[in-house]
Amino acid sequence: MPYLGIDLGGTYARAAVVDADGRVEAATKIALVDRAPGAVVEAIARATADAISAGGRVERCGVGVAGMLEGDTGVVANAPNLGWRDVPFGTLLAERLGRPVRVVNDLSAAAWGEFRVGAGRGASEVLVVFVGSGVGSAIITGGRLVRGASNSAGEFGHVKVVSEGGRRCGCGQHGCLEAYAGGHSLIAQMGEVLAQGIPSMLHELSGGDPARLTPVLLEQAAQQGDPAAKEIYDRATGHLALAIANLVTVLNPQFLILGGGVLSRCPGIIQRIRQGVAGHATVVSQHALTITEGALGDDSGIIGAALLSAE
Amino acid sequence: MPYLGIDLGGTYARAAVVDADGRVEAATKIALVDRAPGAVVEAIARATADAISAGGRVERCGVGVAGMLEGDTGVVANAPNLGWRDVPFGTLLAERLGRPVRVVNDLSAAAWGEFRVGAGRGASEVLVVFVGSGVGSAIITGGRLVRGASNSAGEFGHVKVVSEGGRRCGCGQHGCLEAYAGGHSLIAQMGEVLAQGIPSMLHELSGGDPARLTPVLLEQAAQQGDPAAKEIYDRATGHLALAIANLVTVLNPQFLILGGGVLSRCPGIIQRIRQGVAGHATVVSQHALTITEGALGDDSGIIGAALLSAE
């Protein structure tokens, strides 16, 4: 019996029918013109009506949402991209679809997809680290996703890498890993170079336009030896690699799976992470370790959400 | 049916009959005159003969060993305190006692005792941090002990707190947390103050005798404002508190249980850890968190080893 997996972003949702082996049978992209919860539910229901109605084929539905959830209640406590606070999304969607719905964190869903049918297939100890606009992780141990006592386990972007006087993070605290190594933060740091008129090839590469700054440009400039770019890049990758190495030491995973928009586009950062783990993680924690990129690409979240709906 | 729990140290072993609720029914201290594996097995067998033979009351036996183990095979790969390498201790003891024997890491045993019947009773998400001569941890999530892919999960003493040019650790690497905050290392750092003739009240407090240096003396001198002591103490507690706070952020435990010889004797360090977690861990990870000291004292290892034998 297949499942419906949904990856709910801020501007569109992707939905697909996924079978029990994680194969994607049909995928749809749904533009979210109106982000009000009722409108999102309606858009999803219409776009998936064929899959849902066809002889009751789809049994359950899983949704990955970028945001903070209230345990396993289906309530989205806070999803900044959607402008939602305390939305009982699971209940609303379940009522409309007439199917049980499980709402999970988007990174947890993507990690679960990679664990079950992707790069971590067959293992029981898996650490997944994502670097996109933010930094996150998911920990799987004994074949189970670690959720923690208040559903916040894996908040790897908010470990502190600078204990005093660190950069301010979007979360309100200072010195978080994400404030140095997240995509948004990398771009903000590059923007400071432009705004402060610091000599750098970032001016030429971006044509002086902050909107054209990307982590890829940063990697390019750093690899060409640009001092300002190198400072940002070395600091970010140094903090990221050390923090990942320390998680490897403590968790001793079989697979470290690297994903997210920044890592998939910046092979140099992946290289730095490999070097950092080799240099800083304990020798014994590296014996059983394979470091790899995700195998499912953008489908990991849909597949993981679908499969998590059956857990 | 009760279990036999054994805490195997370098100079003596402690053994006790423990019931399924973790109550210690009888305890024995066994001096290890000869540390050869056969002699240790014999000493344990004799000291526990009454408990083992009395109507076959004891069903299983668990042993906690300070050292590195080979998975769940009962082989002690390396136990420096005992001078053992690749000793099939589980098999040897099981043959002599005529009972199944499970060999576990001593910190895992102590953590399991606290989790099952001590300070973490009733919880499923528990992080235990021990600071004694070394620094270690045990992670329990979903009610299961995290062991990792090569049985080295929890090696918290060897996370790197200084990425370049850090102090050399007993493990051979540099910059490990244990090289700053472990009891042996604290004493070594105090010894450097004595040896280098750096002005400090540590000279008077110890009578100039390195053998009288202890973490308690360090805390005393630091709290009285001695600059040399304060430097060592602030650095050690700063690294320790930040590293613990980061684990709390990532694992989101319900209980953080603090134990070990240094923490049980140095309330100031516990205080620093509390402040560090409050200041550095994410707000959401602190919602469900209780920070507490272990409740079972020295019996935690015996109780945990006994109860783990039944898992």
Side-chain angles (χ1 to χ4, degrees), chain B residues 135 156-161 175-182 236 239-240 243-244:
Chain B
V135 176
F156 182 55
H158 303 286
V159 300
K160 302 299 174 289
V161 294
C176 296
L177 174 58
E178 183 168 302
Y180 293 92
H239 286 317
L240 183 64
I244 292 176

Side-chain angles (χ1 to χ4, degrees), chain A residues 251-309:
Chain A
L251 297 171
N252 182 207
Q254 185 178 351
F255 284 97
L256 166 61
I257 301 175
L258 303 172
V262 171
L263 294 186
S264 66
R265 289 179 188 85
C266 298
I269 300 183
I270 301 250
Q271 188 55 25
R272 296 282 181 105
I273 292 172
R274 288 184 181 275
Q275 290 165 351
V277 170
H280 296 306
T282 54
V283 174
V284 62
S285 73
Q286 295 183 51
H287 283 161
L289 181 69
T290 299
I291 303 177
T292 178
E293 292 180 61
L296 305 178
D298 287 344
D299 284 344
S300 60
I302 295 178
I303 296 170
L307 296 179
L308 271 174
S309 76

Side-chain angles (χ1 to χ4, degrees), chain B:
Chain B
M1 198 77 125
Y3 312 106
L4 185 68
I6 300 172
D7 187 4
L8 183 55
T11 51
Y12 61 86
R14 293 179 65 234
V17 175
V18 177
D19 74 12
D21 294 323
R23 275 184 295 264
V24 175
E25 295 186 1
T28 324
K29 190 166 173 175
I30 308 159
L32 302 178
V33 185
D34 182 348
R35 291 177 203 168
V40 170
V41 165
E42 203 51 41
I44 290 173
R46 281 192 206 147
T48 61
D50 288 352
I52 290 285
S53 63
R57 283 186 65 229
V58 167
E59 192 181 6
R60 297 170 167 279
C61 173
V63 190
V65 180
M68 194 172 292
L69 308 177
E70 246 176 43
D72 224 349
T73 62
V75 173
V76 178
N78 187 10
N81 292 339
L82 290 159
W84 290 4
R85 272 193 177 272
D86 300 319
V87 172
F89 184 66
T91 306
L92 295 174
L93 188 62
E95 281 172 3
R96 182 63 178 80
L97 297 182
R99 300 283 184 286
V101 169
R102 184 170 183 196
V103 182
V104 296
N105 175 271
D106 62 337
L107 290 194
S108 299
W112 192 257
E114 291 291 351
F115 159 64
R116 281 287 309 280
V117 299
R121 185 170 198 147
S124 67
E125 308 294 311
V126 177
L127 170 62
V128 188
V129 173
F130 294 98
V131 183
S133 54
V135 176
S137 75
I139 300 161
I140 288 152
T141 173
R144 295 177 58 260
L145 188 64
V146 177
R147 308 183 60 184
S150 47
N151 213 33
S152 84
E155 281 283 7
F156 182 55
H158 303 286
V159 300
K160 302 299 174 289
V161 294
V162 173
S163 63
E164 279 177 45
R167 282 184 70 87
R168 189 178 166 86
C169 182
C171 75
Q173 291 187 319
H174 289 78
C176 296
L177 174 58
E178 183 168 302
Y180 293 92
H184 274 325
S185 164
L186 290 173
I187 291 168
Q189 293 172 81
M190 296 163 78
E192 291 163 17
V193 170
L194 293 198
Q196 293 167 20
I198 296 165
S200 166
M201 65 172 65
L202 291 175
H203 294 279
E204 292 77 58
L205 289 172
S206 67
D209 179 3
R212 290 173 59 193
L213 294 170
T214 64
V216 172
L217 271 195
L218 179 71
E219 180 161 290
Q220 195 180 329
Q223 286 176 344
Q224 290 176 40
D226 179 71
K230 212 165 166 311
E231 189 181 328
I232 297 169
Y233 186 80
D234 287 349
R235 187 172 59 179
T237 55
H239 286 317
L240 183 64
L242 184 65
I244 292 176
N246 284 345
L247 262 194
V248 166
T249 289
V250 171
L251 297 172
N252 182 208
Q254 185 177 352
F255 284 97
L256 166 62
I257 301 176
L258 302 172
V262 170
L263 294 186
S264 66
R265 289 178 188 87
C266 297
I269 301 183
I270 301 248
Q271 189 53 26
R272 295 284 181 106
I273 293 171
R274 287 182 181 277
Q275 290 165 351
V277 171
H280 296 305
T282 54
V283 174
V284 61
S285 73
Q286 295 183 51
H287 283 161
L289 181 69
T290 299
I291 303 177
T292 178
E293 292 180 61
L296 306 178
D298 288 344
D299 284 345
S300 59
I302 295 178
I303 296 170
L307 297 179
L308 271 174
S309 76
E311 287 290 313

